Amino acid sequence: MSTMKRFFHHFTLRLIALFSALLLWFYIAVERNYETKLSLPLRLVNIPDHLIPTTPIPHFVTAIISGKGKEILLLHFASAELLLNGESAVIGLCRLPLNNRTVSLSVQTDVRILSIKNPVELLLPFDAKISKPIRVIPSLTLSSKRGYTLIGTPILVPETVTVIGPRRLVAEMSDLQTLPVQATGLTHDTTFSVPVRIPDLFGIEIMPARVNLHIAAGALVKHRLDNVPIRLIDAPPDSGWALNVNTLSFTIVGTQEEIDAVRPERINAYVSYTRFRIEQQTEIEPTISLLGNVEWSNLEPKTVHLVKQH
């Protein structure tokens, strides 16, 4: 065997021996019993269903634990928590001791809790847990594309959510808002799933946490209306005055559904006799009242005036 081959042969044997020694050391280390200090997350459990804490508990608690090295090591990988038994809680300020009788581990393990070092007890206020339906108000910035329009009022489904939490906080709540929604260039009906803004209050839960927002949009349609009756109002019965025209023509703009719903007899077109007297004008633009979001333009005639009846 050459010198180089003997070198690599001996080097390989040494590596195998070293690796075997490390494995043996690790096995002995993890099988040995240890007593150590460990900081773990704390969670409150077994609280009576009708109660809820009104302030947060510490995120982490320092405990003295005992067990085999491998079991302690597994606590980290299993995301173990310390569970504080809250079954003795009542309304008001409660003293909850932290020790090996009231605190347990959240995972199945042979590790034992010897004591809790910090904190050793909690002074925690509790209140009655109540639920209440609360109205949701959308926070919206909406616009349609040119030639289109938004139709009606956006609809939330559901319109209310259930708020669960401490009685003192829930009783004072009147409404909630969604997170801001901004939608531009809308051309058709659209639905968004929107989160409800959760108040910055401890112990508040909202169900459901999201609502559906339905926004209706559609194309604008133009339609010409002729022979729409116009009235003179507020004129004294014996004044002898009348308008110079009996009907008007104008263009209406809206969605197809809105246009189809417009009837000449349901249009309120008028001029007030009082305006002629107060404004001292001989020609006045008529007032036209339409239902819904329908708009009008291109009025003919643009103005009217008074004429004396014979």
Side-chain angles (χ1 to χ4, degrees):
M1 183 181 296
S2 66
T3 303
M4 185 62 69
K5 287 184 178 181
R6 284 198 302 271
F7 172 79
F8 280 110
H9 177 70
H10 293 157
F11 181 73
T12 302
L13 291 177
R14 289 189 180 95
L15 283 179
I16 293 173
L18 177 61
F19 183 69
S20 300
L22 287 174
L23 286 178
L24 180 61
W25 173 85
F26 182 76
Y27 174 77
I28 294 173
V30 297
E31 288 295 327
R32 184 180 299 170
N33 285 320
Y34 294 90
E35 183 177 308
T36 185
K37 183 189 299 183
L38 195 62
S39 181
L40 291 171
L42 180 66
R43 179 156 55 95
L44 192 59
V45 296
N46 298 331
I47 306 171
D49 291 339
H50 66 286
L51 295 181
I52 187 170
T54 60
T55 59
I57 63 174
H59 292 297
F60 288 89
V61 166
T62 301
I64 304 298
I65 60 174
S66 174
K68 289 186 177 182
K70 64 180 181 182
E71 297 283 349
I72 295 174
L73 189 62
L74 286 174
L75 292 180
H76 294 282
F77 294 102
S79 301
E81 298 174 298
L82 291 174
L83 306 180
L84 173 60
N85 189 354
E87 63 183 2
S88 63
V90 295
I91 291 180
L93 190 62
C94 294
R95 186 183 301 273
L96 300 177
L98 279 74
N99 52 53
N100 56 5
R101 295 184 301 276
T102 61
V103 176
S104 60
L105 285 163
S106 62
V107 295
Q108 291 291 333
T109 178
D110 291 330
V111 174
R112 294 185 301 114
I113 298 174
L114 301 180
S115 63
I116 304 296
K117 287 298 182 183
N118 184 33
V120 296
E121 69 175 13
L122 298 181
L123 289 176
L124 201 60
F126 285 83
D127 196 359
K129 180 195 287 187
I130 67 169
S131 62
K132 176 183 175 182
I134 299 289
R135 180 185 59 165
V136 180
I137 300 174
S139 176
L140 304 176
T141 303
L142 305 175
S143 65
S144 58
K145 187 177 179 180
R146 185 177 179 85
Y148 294 80
T149 185
L150 302 177
I151 303 172
T153 303
I155 299 173
L156 281 179
V157 179
E159 295 180 345
T160 63
V161 294
T162 300
V163 177
I164 304 169
R167 175 172 51 194
R168 181 180 61 83
L169 297 178
V170 174
E172 295 176 352
M173 298 175 66
S174 57
D175 54 52
L176 295 170
Q177 285 193 327
T178 65
L179 292 181
V181 175
Q182 183 172 358
T184 59
L186 296 174
T187 60
H188 56 274
D189 295 355
T190 307
T191 299
F192 296 97
S193 177
V194 187
V196 179
R197 186 189 295 276
I198 300 176
D200 188 18
L201 300 170
F202 179 77
I204 294 296
E205 180 184 1
I206 296 176
M207 298 178 61
R210 304 177 72 92
V211 293
N212 290 324
L213 176 64
H214 301 287
I215 303 169
L220 289 173
V221 177
K222 292 183 179 181
H223 180 68
R224 188 71 179 176
L225 289 177
D226 297 314
N227 301 319
V228 177
I230 182 172
R231 299 178 297 123
L232 177 65
I233 64 173
D234 298 336
D238 56 352
S239 67
W241 291 105
L243 295 176
N244 66 309
V245 295
N246 294 320
T247 61
L248 302 172
S249 297
F250 51 87
T251 300
I252 57 174
V253 180
T255 64
Q256 187 63 60
E257 183 178 357
E258 291 172 332
I259 295 297
D260 292 342
V262 174
R263 298 288 183 271
E265 62 272 14
R266 298 171 64 182
I267 298 173
N268 189 14
Y270 63 91
V271 175
S272 173
Y273 175 81
T274 307
R275 287 186 61 192
F276 286 102
R277 293 293 173 254
I278 294 177
E279 298 176 15
Q280 296 294 308
Q281 299 289 329
T282 57
E283 296 283 339
I284 291 181
E285 182 180 81
T287 298
I288 299 174
S289 177
L290 298 170
L291 297 177
N293 296 319
V294 178
E295 298 180 354
W296 61 269
S297 62
N298 301 325
L299 178 65
E300 291 293 338
K302 292 181 173 57
T303 60
V304 296
H305 58 268
L306 294 175
V307 294
K308 197 69 173 178
Q309 291 180 323
H310 298 291

